[in-house]
Amino acid sequence: MSFQPKDFLVWGEVPVSDLDKAVAFYSRVTGADLSIDKSGPNPVAMFQPEDPKTGIALHLYPGTPASDGRGPTLHLTAEGTLQEVMDRVFEAGGRVTSDIIEIPPGRFFYATDPDGNSLGFFKANPD
């Protein structure tokens, strides 16, 4: 028997050392409208998918980052071209750690946020 759900990732959480600074970085780089939600037991900043019933959410939370890109890598989408995203990563205080890499469904690059969390930014090939 093989378990094959629609998606293996249910949601993602990224630990950050300063939630306000992380919101500024991720908002600038992705174009997402992030704000801090304090309604739960811990404050979190939430990336909201277009359809919360079928999309995968991402949270930033106060925690201990893996640093130096040693933790898991989450691959995100962001507005604009990959070159524009690379520029914003640098301008917002992160590091671009690879060139653009071509794979069959699209292109992506690796980066780290200001805390050193490993990230990828992906653009699908047009249909």
Side-chain angles (χ1 to χ4, degrees), residues 7-55:
D7 297 300
F8 272 97
L9 183 63
V10 177
W11 76 82
E13 294 185 339
V14 177
V16 297
S17 62
D18 184 313
L19 194 54
D20 291 321
K21 287 182 181 178
V23 165
F25 172 82
Y26 283 92
S27 294
R28 170 83 172 107
V29 171
T30 66
D33 183 20
L34 298 173
S35 59
I36 298 174
D37 179 351
K38 297 180 180 178
S39 64
N42 298 302
V44 295
M46 298 191 308
F47 289 81
Q48 291 292 342
E50 180 180 65
D51 183 348
K53 292 180 182 178
T54 60

Side-chain angles (χ1 to χ4, degrees), residues 9 11-19 22-23 25-26 43-47 57-67 71-76 112-120:
L9 183 63
W11 76 82
E13 294 185 339
V14 177
V16 297
S17 62
D18 184 313
L19 194 54
V23 165
F25 172 82
Y26 283 92
V44 295
M46 298 191 308
F47 289 81
L58 175 63
H59 303 163
L60 307 175
Y61 71 97
T64 304
S67 76
T73 301
L74 297 175
H75 290 263
L76 309 177
T112 58
D113 71 6
D115 281 316
N117 289 305
S118 180
L119 302 169

Side-chain angles (χ1 to χ4, degrees), residues 13 16 21 64 69 79 81 87-88 91 94 102 109 114 121:
E13 294 185 339
V16 297
K21 287 182 181 178
T64 304
E79 69 180 348
T81 67
D87 294 343
R88 291 195 309 265
E91 292 164 3
E102 302 274 344
F109 70 91
F121 289 94

